[in-house]
Amino acid sequence: MLEANGLTVTVPEHRLPVSYAPDVVVVGGGASGVAAAIAAARNGAKTLLLEQRGYLGGMGTSALVPAFCPFTDGEKPVVRGIGLDLMERMKAAAGDEYLRMHRDRLDWVPIDVEILKRVYDDAVLESGAELLFHSFVDQALLADDGRSIAGLVVGNKSGRSVVQAKLYIDATGDADLAALSGVPFHIGGESGELQPGTMCYLVCNVDKARYDRFLAETGQGNQMPDTVQEAQRNGDLPEGRKRISGLAWLSNSVAGFNFGHVFGIDGTKAEDLTRAAVEGRRLIEVQMRFLRKYVPGFENAHLVHSGDQIGIRETRRIVGDYTLVVDDFLSMRTFEDDIARNSYFIDIHLANAQSAMAIKHLPKGESHGVPYRCMLPQGKSNLIVAGRSVSSDRPVQGSLRVMPNCFAMGQAAGTAAAMAAAEGRDFRGVEVKRLQRLLAEQGAWLGDGKRAGDVVASGGGPLVYEEENDD
């Protein structure tokens, strides 16, 4: 038997030592986990952030996603607070050339991976939170009533041990902790189809001025649809996406790519991740030959780094107290328990090379609310989920999944955890109005003047299927 915060749990193995006993434990160090840990610690909770790699950042660092998705609705920042501050810290630390190129940008800001890793390290430690890298949660210990988590079994080079906390935040992106705890979830589409993954990468020894002249002469944008399709007709690129998803310039000689797809990948399966790593690196070599042959300025491009893992767009979505659905997105709905606003477009990548993409934009300057309830998993009292795996339907997941939204949800989850820990409550006992006040006082944006519960007609119509600039 194991005692944890007044709860009794049966451990189905030999007794393990308790290595940490914080108020709040955050599992996963991506955008949502970083923001959650900072928020929890700043609000007075003893906080531990567990991360399986040796650095923070999730898809933005381990998968080399080349740019942050938009922080604005086209007119103003919608995601503010911790997430916007972290991006600005990265920009300030990136040097004069980077600042000359990107100082005033808030949308599609290129990610300088090595600087961002240090920014995240510093910000988490400055908040008072504790970090534990190279650690993986492989078991959730449940209280005998099954509704509470009493501890986590963590494995690392030091061995296996138990981490006990009052509150638990699942920021894994794949709802790993929720799944281990028995939370119901959906995965992919009706037939189990999942958005493909992308192996992103970084190249150097490029001439941006020559490349810019090429774009001006051909009338193309950064996605180079004409050039990509020419190479596909010639057999130099595989069929599929007709343009480059993302190309971000870190300097006049270094660029990051989000280009092409690896299909049939379930990011919750090690076998699929292994296949994706091999196929992704092979695809990069094909794309490097394409760039050198077809794109002026890239004749001498050198591959510097490919992602430590394939970039994953979707896996599990928990079943929560509320499921955010596409009608909420299209009607730009505001909820009484909003903890964030979202304006990023619905962006569902093709499930196979013959499929279209689901795209739907909100009007410029508009957004919808993200309710606290969609982070609360059914059947668990001291667990909250932040990031792309919150409770939503598949179209809305295609909008919520990006890093700015993950920052916003993480900040809300961490703030709620600190409140609950201080008051001896679970997550459903948090006073939402007070949570909203704290978030606003600490820089988050929950909208201007709209009454809670308002539904605003958008006239947006149904989803359409097309190609679009995306991530």
Side-chain angles (χ1 to χ4, degrees):
M1 305 290 284
L2 177 68
E3 293 292 331
N5 301 311
L7 301 171
T8 303
V9 59
T10 301
V11 184
E13 56 181 299
H14 63 279
R15 189 175 181 87
L16 294 170
V18 175
S19 54
Y20 292 85
D23 297 323
V24 176
V25 63
V26 181
V27 182
S32 58
V34 167
I38 291 170
R42 284 181 179 174
N43 283 283
K46 183 180 179 184
T47 303
L48 173 67
L49 174 54
L50 294 171
E51 165 55 42
Q52 63 180 316
R53 296 181 176 86
Y55 52 87
L56 301 169
M59 293 294 101
T61 53
S62 66
L64 293 185
V65 172
F68 287 107
C69 282
F71 278 71
T72 82
D73 59 13
E75 294 180 352
K76 60 187 175 299
V78 170
V79 174
R80 306 180 191 178
I82 289 172
L84 187 58
D85 175 64
L86 289 170
M87 185 179 71
E88 291 294 345
R89 286 181 65 166
M90 181 204 72
K91 287 162 65 175
D96 292 342
E97 183 177 1
Y98 182 97
L99 283 173
R100 282 194 298 272
M101 297 172 72
H102 308 299
R103 183 191 305 273
D104 297 326
R105 294 179 66 174
L106 295 179
D107 296 343
W108 306 111
V109 173
I111 293 174
D112 190 316
V113 170
E114 296 307 320
I115 288 176
L116 188 60
K117 289 177 184 177
R118 298 200 307 272
V119 165
Y120 285 158
D121 287 345
D122 292 345
V124 170
L125 295 175
E126 287 165 8
S127 75
E130 191 168 2
L131 280 171
L132 186 62
F133 287 143
H134 304 294
S135 297
F136 192 85
V137 175
D138 62 25
Q139 186 179 359
L141 305 175
L142 301 182
D144 287 343
D145 64 4
R147 293 191 57 82
S148 299
I149 298 175
L152 306 178
V153 177
V154 176
N156 53 35
K157 284 287 190 178
S158 302
R160 299 181 81 227
S161 65
V162 172
V163 173
Q164 293 176 256
K166 298 174 183 176
L167 288 308
Y168 297 81
I169 300 176
D170 184 334
T172 61
D174 298 315
D176 288 334
L177 177 54
L180 285 172
S181 304
V183 172
F185 60 86
H186 303 289
I187 188 163
E190 292 182 2
S191 302
E193 71 275 13
L194 290 156
Q195 295 185 58
T198 297
M199 183 66 85
C200 299
Y201 56 96
L202 198 64
V203 300
C204 71
N205 203 28
V206 184
D207 184 343
K208 186 175 186 297
R210 180 166 166 75
Y211 168 78
D212 288 341
R213 290 194 297 272
F214 165 69
L215 293 189
E217 291 165 0
T218 61
Q220 297 185 95
N222 243 8
Q223 294 183 300
M224 294 185 283
D226 295 343
T227 305
V228 169
Q229 291 168 49
E230 178 189 0
Q232 288 173 332
R233 290 192 297 270
N234 294 339
D236 290 323
L237 279 179
E239 287 300 320
R241 191 78 203 279
K242 302 300 183 184
R243 61 190 73 191
I244 294 172
S245 294
L247 193 170
W249 289 90
L250 287 164
S251 72
N252 289 313
S253 61
V254 179
F257 279 87
N258 171 0
F259 186 9
H261 292 128
V262 178
F263 297 101
I265 300 302
D266 182 343
T268 68
K269 296 180 178 179
E271 295 82 2
D272 283 13
L273 291 172
T274 300
R275 175 172 65 84
V278 174
E279 290 186 16
R281 286 190 284 268
R282 288 173 178 164
L283 182 57
I284 289 173
E285 179 54 31
V286 172
Q287 293 171 356
M288 290 298 298
R289 290 197 295 268
F290 154 76
L291 290 170
R292 294 174 186 130
K293 179 177 179 180
Y294 285 85
V295 184
F298 282 80
E299 293 90 345
N300 299 307
H302 175 73
L303 177 65
V304 177
H305 189 194
S306 59
D308 292 353
Q309 74 154 80
I310 190 114
I312 297 295
R313 294 181 172 90
E314 70 169 334
T315 51
R316 302 183 184 100
R317 307 186 310 277
I318 64 162
V319 178
D321 287 2
Y322 182 82
T323 299
L324 201 60
V325 297
V326 69
D327 285 344
D328 298 328
F329 176 94
L330 294 173
S331 64
M332 297 173 287
R333 187 175 178 186
T334 294
F335 299 87
E336 290 187 359
D337 59 337
D338 278 347
I339 47 77
R341 304 291 298 182
N342 168 47
S343 62
Y344 186 67
F345 59 88
I346 288 174
D347 176 14
I348 303 177
H349 283 234
L350 57 171
N352 57 61
Q354 286 72 48
S355 299
M357 292 178 62
I359 298 292
K360 183 62 186 180
H361 291 264
L362 292 179
K364 188 175 181 179
E366 298 291 347
S367 60
H368 71 83
V370 180
Y372 179 64
R373 289 165 293 161
C374 74
M375 298 196 296
L376 301 180
Q378 289 186 5
K380 294 293 174 285
S381 60
N382 65 341
L383 174 65
I384 195 169
V385 177
R388 69 173 184 239
S389 52
V390 297
S391 183
S392 72
D393 65 11
R394 191 169 186 242
V396 173
Q397 192 275 345
S399 172
L400 284 179
R401 63 183 174 84
V402 296
M403 282 182 276
N405 291 329
C406 290
F407 282 130
M409 289 183 278
Q411 182 170 353
T415 304
M419 292 172 60
E423 297 165 4
R425 301 175 182 270
D426 62 26
F427 282 110
R428 288 175 182 80
V430 169
E431 183 186 347
V432 173
K433 295 300 181 187
R434 182 165 168 259
L435 171 61
Q436 291 169 325
R437 287 196 299 272
L438 273 176
L439 289 171
E441 289 168 3
Q442 295 171 15
W445 187 73
L446 304 181
D448 288 331
K450 293 181 179 178
R451 297 189 307 276
D454 281 354
V455 177
V456 182
S458 70
L463 290 176
V464 295
Y465 290 84
E466 59 185 44
E467 294 285 340
E468 184 63 57
N469 179 34
D470 54 25
D471 185 48

